[in-house]
Amino acid sequence: LDIYGTGLDDNSKKALEQFPLGNILQEHGRLEYDHLSGKSGRQQVLEAMKCSDILIILHGSGLVCEEYVPSKVYEYLLTGRPLLALTTESSELAQIVTECGHQVASPDNAHAIAETIIRYIKKWQNNSLQESAQVSPYTIKRTVDTLLAVSKEIQ
């Protein structure tokens, strides 16, 4: 379990005390420019995401989160890797993720999370994990084309 970006918050640290993961959990922190490779932190993280078996995004709860989609989700979708979104099924994030052929589980339902992870593990064991990921419709080309079409209408 590789964690990039900020460190774990206090609640996550307390949970790990109850359910220790040992050396399975790797906190990488925020990646900065690497002078040896010449790669930015963003490039390094994108490469790591493309090598991941499953990408997991934990989304908050509450009214704001129902309509908020973290920008990181679009990066996840562009990797072509399977995605598990821990969010409510009624959120806009859940809609986007399921439309792209990925999985959603409620962050409050440990049983549903475990079942989803077990399904992914079985696909991994059968070498069919990648088949569960679809090409994301949220591409840079599509966005540019849309912006160009809108700009022509404005002129």
Side-chain angles (χ1 to χ4, degrees), residues 59-101:
H59 197 44
S61 59
L63 186 58
V64 172
C65 291
E66 288 295 312
E67 299 178 2
Y68 168 73
V69 177
S71 60
K72 185 60 68 181
V73 170
Y74 300 103
E75 287 183 56
Y76 279 24
L77 291 171
L78 288 173
T79 66
R81 302 305 303 155
L83 173 61
L84 168 57
L86 302 179
T87 186
T88 60
E89 291 186 14
S90 61
S91 70
E92 188 172 356
L93 172 61
Q95 180 182 344
I96 289 170
V97 168
T98 55
E99 284 176 358
C100 292

Side-chain angles (χ1 to χ4, degrees), residues 113-125:
I113 295 168
E115 283 183 341
T116 305
I117 291 173
I118 288 168
R119 281 196 304 271
Y120 274 137
I121 290 170
K122 287 179 180 177
K123 286 184 176 193
W124 177 78
Q125 289 171 331

Side-chain angles (χ1 to χ4, degrees), residues 22-152:
N23 61 1
I24 293 174
L25 177 72
Q26 296 290 322
E27 286 186 79
H28 298 276
R30 180 176 169 84
L31 298 182
E32 301 294 341
Y33 177 78
D34 180 11
H35 294 284
L36 294 176
S37 68
K39 295 178 184 175
S40 68
R42 180 173 293 275
Q43 288 171 309
Q44 294 172 66
V45 171
L46 185 59
E47 287 176 3
M49 287 190 301
K50 287 181 179 181
C51 293
S52 297
D53 292 317
I54 301 169
L55 297 165
I56 301 173
I57 189 154
L58 175 59
H59 197 44
S61 59
L63 186 58
V64 172
C65 291
E66 288 295 312
E67 299 178 2
Y68 168 73
V69 177
S71 60
K72 185 60 68 181
V73 170
Y74 300 103
E75 287 183 56
Y76 279 24
L77 291 171
L78 288 173
T79 66
R81 302 305 303 155
L83 173 61
L84 168 57
L86 302 179
T87 186
T88 60
E89 291 186 14
S90 61
S91 70
E92 188 172 356
L93 172 61
Q95 180 182 344
I96 289 170
V97 168
T98 55
E99 284 176 358
C100 292
H102 300 279
Q103 300 295 309
V104 173
S106 171
D108 299 322
N109 187 338
H111 181 71
I113 295 168
E115 283 183 341
T116 305
I117 291 173
I118 288 168
R119 281 196 304 271
Y120 274 137
I121 290 170
K122 287 179 180 177
K123 286 184 176 193
W124 177 78
Q125 289 171 331
N126 295 326
N127 293 319
S128 62
L129 187 60
Q130 185 60 26
E131 295 172 16
S132 65
Q134 298 175 5
V135 175
S136 172
Y138 302 100
T139 64
I140 294 170
K141 181 182 180 337
R142 177 181 168 199
T143 303
V144 169
D145 290 346
T146 301
L147 289 172
L148 288 172
V150 168
S151 70
K152 287 179 183 176

